[in-house]
Amino acid sequence: MMAVERGEASPKGSRKPSSQTSENAQKVLAAFIDRRKPYIWMLNAFGFERRVIVDVQGISAVISGGASGLGLSAARRLATRGVFVVLLDLPASRGEDMARELGAAARFVPGDVRDEAAVEEAVAAAAAVAPLRVAVACAGTATAHKTVGRNGPAPIDGFADTLTINVVGTFNLIRLAAAEMAKLDPVGGERGVVVATASIAAYDGQRGQAAYAAAKGGIVAMTLPVARDLAPLKIRMMTVAPGIFDTPILDGLTPAQVATLREQVPHPARLGAADEFAALVEHIVDNPMLNGETIRIDAAVRLGTK
């Protein structure tokens, strides 16, 4: 989240001395190197301007699927910035342990992301501590069935569950968190941001991934209309589509299967780290021009047929 403070503009048609240009370039470089600075220098049509980064310390966030994997990494990132994080995850998850690990900056709320009452409780828990300005939807599930396999047609219950948990659960968090954000006064020109988690399977679905690809594709498809819905409220909506990441979802695979997945990644030729996903979420929170779009974070991998 940023506010803009105008710097001195160059007179129209004039050029700044080379020493001034060098000085401005040094300011840009220094601001990017030293991330502790509360601003960055950016070049626009009129010269350089200083964009002040609004400190997120003292706000709260709700993160579904926050007890493990991508969600937990996002929670850790935000907590280190002074954000109070509410981890919403299933009762059987390690949410209580993870909240205890994060300390006073976190609380665990058990519940199913499809359950309106559970999500409302998580939103209320966050808002009771500090203004809720961030929501990150990481809860999801995957199932693998060919449309017609050796045992006949794919089970419809598995298909429906995958869509409900991923699509309905994500939208449930977005709508309830955004309704709470709408009550707040804008800071730096905005009230908050919601971030959803899709997958490159939304674009490169493999055999057996009809349900998962449809679910993640649904999240990608809702991103722009939700952003447009929330724009008058000064709330942003973004989606991240991770590639092959080292998360608990790979725990069911053999080492050989994981190695096969790793070999598909061009560069860097490895599995993604959950903290790299979290770093992108953190940047989305900080950058007010990111809205209504899905960002792939996949090291240039494009999934094959199988």
mmCIF file of all heavy atoms in Angstrom, residues 4 46 61 68 83 86 92 99 102 109 132 158 185 198 212 220 238 263 273 277:
data_model
loop_
_atom_site.group_PDB
_atom_site.id
_atom_site.type_symbol
_atom_site.label_atom_id
_atom_site.label_comp_id
_atom_site.label_asym_id
_atom_site.label_seq_id
_atom_site.Cartn_x
_atom_site.Cartn_y
_atom_site.Cartn_z
ATOM 1 N N VAL A 4 1.452 8.726 -2.506
ATOM 2 C CA VAL A 4 2.380 9.407 -3.399
ATOM 3 C C VAL A 4 2.688 10.804 -2.893
ATOM 4 O O VAL A 4 1.779 11.564 -2.583
ATOM 5 C CB VAL A 4 1.798 9.503 -4.826
ATOM 6 C CG1 VAL A 4 2.727 10.293 -5.733
ATOM 7 C CG2 VAL A 4 1.558 8.120 -5.382
ATOM 8 N N PHE A 46 7.054 13.648 -15.675
ATOM 9 C CA PHE A 46 7.453 14.980 -15.247
ATOM 10 C C PHE A 46 8.770 14.995 -14.465
ATOM 11 O O PHE A 46 9.229 16.037 -14.034
ATOM 12 C CB PHE A 46 6.347 15.587 -14.366
ATOM 13 C CG PHE A 46 5.008 15.595 -15.044
ATOM 14 C CD1 PHE A 46 4.050 14.636 -14.740
ATOM 15 C CD2 PHE A 46 4.711 16.548 -16.009
ATOM 16 C CE1 PHE A 46 2.817 14.641 -15.369
ATOM 17 C CE2 PHE A 46 3.479 16.550 -16.643
ATOM 18 C CZ PHE A 46 2.528 15.604 -16.327
ATOM 19 N N ALA A 61 -4.523 -9.404 9.238
ATOM 20 C CA ALA A 61 -4.751 -10.172 8.010
ATOM 21 C C ALA A 61 -5.378 -11.513 8.366
ATOM 22 O O ALA A 61 -5.091 -12.080 9.426
ATOM 23 C CB ALA A 61 -3.438 -10.398 7.260
ATOM 24 N N SER A 68 -0.165 -24.312 7.087
ATOM 25 C CA SER A 68 0.922 -25.042 6.423
ATOM 26 C C SER A 68 1.189 -24.446 5.053
ATOM 27 O O SER A 68 0.419 -23.606 4.553
ATOM 28 C CB SER A 68 0.571 -26.533 6.277
ATOM 29 O OG SER A 68 -0.537 -26.706 5.410
ATOM 30 N N VAL A 83 2.269 -7.316 11.159
ATOM 31 C CA VAL A 83 0.851 -7.581 10.901
ATOM 32 C C VAL A 83 0.355 -8.668 11.850
ATOM 33 O O VAL A 83 1.013 -9.694 12.020
ATOM 34 C CB VAL A 83 0.638 -8.023 9.437
ATOM 35 C CG1 VAL A 83 -0.839 -8.352 9.179
ATOM 36 C CG2 VAL A 83 1.122 -6.947 8.474
ATOM 37 N N VAL A 86 -4.365 -13.953 11.417
ATOM 38 C CA VAL A 86 -5.305 -14.991 11.857
ATOM 39 C C VAL A 86 -5.205 -16.146 10.879
ATOM 40 O O VAL A 86 -5.419 -15.973 9.666
ATOM 41 C CB VAL A 86 -6.749 -14.454 11.918
ATOM 42 C CG1 VAL A 86 -7.730 -15.604 12.144
ATOM 43 C CG2 VAL A 86 -6.890 -13.426 13.028
ATOM 44 N N ALA A 92 -8.236 -30.186 12.344
ATOM 45 C CA ALA A 92 -7.215 -31.233 12.441
ATOM 46 C C ALA A 92 -5.835 -30.754 11.999
ATOM 47 O O ALA A 92 -4.866 -31.513 12.072
ATOM 48 C CB ALA A 92 -7.630 -32.441 11.605
ATOM 49 N N ALA A 99 0.338 -21.050 15.264
ATOM 50 C CA ALA A 99 0.028 -19.759 15.883
ATOM 51 C C ALA A 99 0.882 -19.549 17.123
ATOM 52 O O ALA A 99 1.365 -18.438 17.391
ATOM 53 C CB ALA A 99 -1.456 -19.696 16.238
ATOM 54 N N LEU A 102 4.306 -18.478 16.042
ATOM 55 C CA LEU A 102 4.361 -17.083 15.619
ATOM 56 C C LEU A 102 4.229 -16.118 16.787
ATOM 57 O O LEU A 102 4.562 -14.939 16.661
ATOM 58 C CB LEU A 102 3.262 -16.806 14.580
ATOM 59 C CG LEU A 102 3.460 -17.469 13.217
ATOM 60 C CD1 LEU A 102 2.218 -17.291 12.356
ATOM 61 C CD2 LEU A 102 4.671 -16.893 12.515
ATOM 62 N N VAL A 109 -7.873 -19.861 14.133
ATOM 63 C CA VAL A 109 -9.319 -20.065 14.160
ATOM 64 C C VAL A 109 -9.623 -21.319 13.353
ATOM 65 O O VAL A 109 -9.407 -21.335 12.126
ATOM 66 C CB VAL A 109 -10.085 -18.863 13.575
ATOM 67 C CG1 VAL A 109 -11.573 -19.174 13.456
ATOM 68 C CG2 VAL A 109 -9.882 -17.618 14.433
ATOM 69 N N LEU A 132 -8.574 -4.767 9.680
ATOM 70 C CA LEU A 132 -8.334 -5.840 8.715
ATOM 71 C C LEU A 132 -8.154 -5.234 7.327
ATOM 72 O O LEU A 132 -9.103 -4.694 6.751
ATOM 73 C CB LEU A 132 -9.502 -6.827 8.700
ATOM 74 C CG LEU A 132 -9.434 -7.939 7.648
ATOM 75 C CD1 LEU A 132 -8.235 -8.839 7.884
ATOM 76 C CD2 LEU A 132 -10.722 -8.749 7.617
ATOM 77 N N GLY A 158 -16.038 -36.062 -6.096
ATOM 78 C CA GLY A 158 -14.693 -35.518 -6.012
ATOM 79 C C GLY A 158 -14.547 -34.253 -6.834
ATOM 80 O O GLY A 158 -13.879 -33.296 -6.416
ATOM 81 N N ASP A 185 -11.506 3.509 7.069
ATOM 82 C CA ASP A 185 -11.087 4.695 6.333
ATOM 83 C C ASP A 185 -9.907 4.316 5.447
ATOM 84 O O ASP A 185 -9.044 3.524 5.853
ATOM 85 C CB ASP A 185 -10.670 5.807 7.296
ATOM 86 C CG ASP A 185 -11.848 6.347 8.103
ATOM 87 O OD1 ASP A 185 -12.975 6.335 7.558
ATOM 88 O OD2 ASP A 185 -11.631 6.774 9.255
ATOM 89 N N ALA A 198 -4.235 -19.431 -7.168
ATOM 90 C CA ALA A 198 -4.655 -20.330 -8.238
ATOM 91 C C ALA A 198 -3.536 -21.349 -8.465
ATOM 92 O O ALA A 198 -2.935 -21.842 -7.512
ATOM 93 C CB ALA A 198 -4.965 -19.544 -9.510
ATOM 94 N N TYR A 212 -9.188 -30.078 -10.833
ATOM 95 C CA TYR A 212 -8.254 -29.106 -10.267
ATOM 96 C C TYR A 212 -8.071 -27.913 -11.211
ATOM 97 O O TYR A 212 -8.072 -26.750 -10.774
ATOM 98 C CB TYR A 212 -6.907 -29.786 -10.019
ATOM 99 C CG TYR A 212 -5.907 -28.936 -9.269
ATOM 100 C CD1 TYR A 212 -6.158 -28.502 -7.973
ATOM 101 C CD2 TYR A 212 -4.700 -28.575 -9.865
ATOM 102 C CE1 TYR A 212 -5.234 -27.723 -7.285
ATOM 103 C CE2 TYR A 212 -3.769 -27.808 -9.186
ATOM 104 C CZ TYR A 212 -4.042 -27.383 -7.896
ATOM 105 O OH TYR A 212 -3.130 -26.610 -7.223
ATOM 106 N N VAL A 220 -8.903 -17.805 -11.344
ATOM 107 C CA VAL A 220 -8.328 -16.852 -12.301
ATOM 108 C C VAL A 220 -9.444 -16.028 -12.949
ATOM 109 O O VAL A 220 -9.339 -14.802 -13.081
ATOM 110 C CB VAL A 220 -7.504 -17.594 -13.371
ATOM 111 C CG1 VAL A 220 -7.096 -16.644 -14.498
ATOM 112 C CG2 VAL A 220 -6.265 -18.229 -12.742
ATOM 113 N N MET A 238 -6.047 -9.515 -6.249
ATOM 114 C CA MET A 238 -5.010 -10.119 -7.071
ATOM 115 C C MET A 238 -4.998 -11.627 -6.868
ATOM 116 O O MET A 238 -5.454 -12.119 -5.831
ATOM 117 C CB MET A 238 -3.639 -9.556 -6.712
ATOM 118 C CG MET A 238 -3.370 -8.164 -7.250
ATOM 119 S SD MET A 238 -3.174 -8.118 -9.052
ATOM 120 C CE MET A 238 -1.622 -9.010 -9.254
ATOM 121 N N GLU A 263 12.531 -31.901 -12.937
ATOM 122 C CA GLU A 263 13.216 -31.897 -14.233
ATOM 123 C C GLU A 263 12.472 -31.069 -15.283
ATOM 124 O O GLU A 263 13.061 -30.666 -16.291
ATOM 125 C CB GLU A 263 13.382 -33.333 -14.736
ATOM 126 C CG GLU A 263 14.406 -34.142 -13.938
ATOM 127 C CD GLU A 263 14.344 -35.617 -14.260
ATOM 128 O OE1 GLU A 263 13.512 -35.999 -15.127
ATOM 129 O OE2 GLU A 263 15.097 -36.402 -13.658
ATOM 130 N N ALA A 273 10.156 -22.400 -3.571
ATOM 131 C CA ALA A 273 10.100 -22.364 -2.108
ATOM 132 C C ALA A 273 8.875 -21.568 -1.682
ATOM 133 O O ALA A 273 8.527 -20.552 -2.299
ATOM 134 C CB ALA A 273 11.368 -21.721 -1.543
ATOM 135 N N PHE A 277 6.751 -17.593 -2.803
ATOM 136 C CA PHE A 277 5.340 -17.244 -2.964
ATOM 137 C C PHE A 277 4.977 -16.129 -1.996
ATOM 138 O O PHE A 277 4.330 -15.142 -2.370
ATOM 139 C CB PHE A 277 4.475 -18.480 -2.718
ATOM 140 C CG PHE A 277 3.007 -18.187 -2.535
ATOM 141 C CD1 PHE A 277 2.159 -18.148 -3.631
ATOM 142 C CD2 PHE A 277 2.482 -17.971 -1.274
ATOM 143 C CE1 PHE A 277 0.799 -17.874 -3.465
ATOM 144 C CE2 PHE A 277 1.122 -17.704 -1.100
ATOM 145 C CZ PHE A 277 0.286 -17.660 -2.200
#
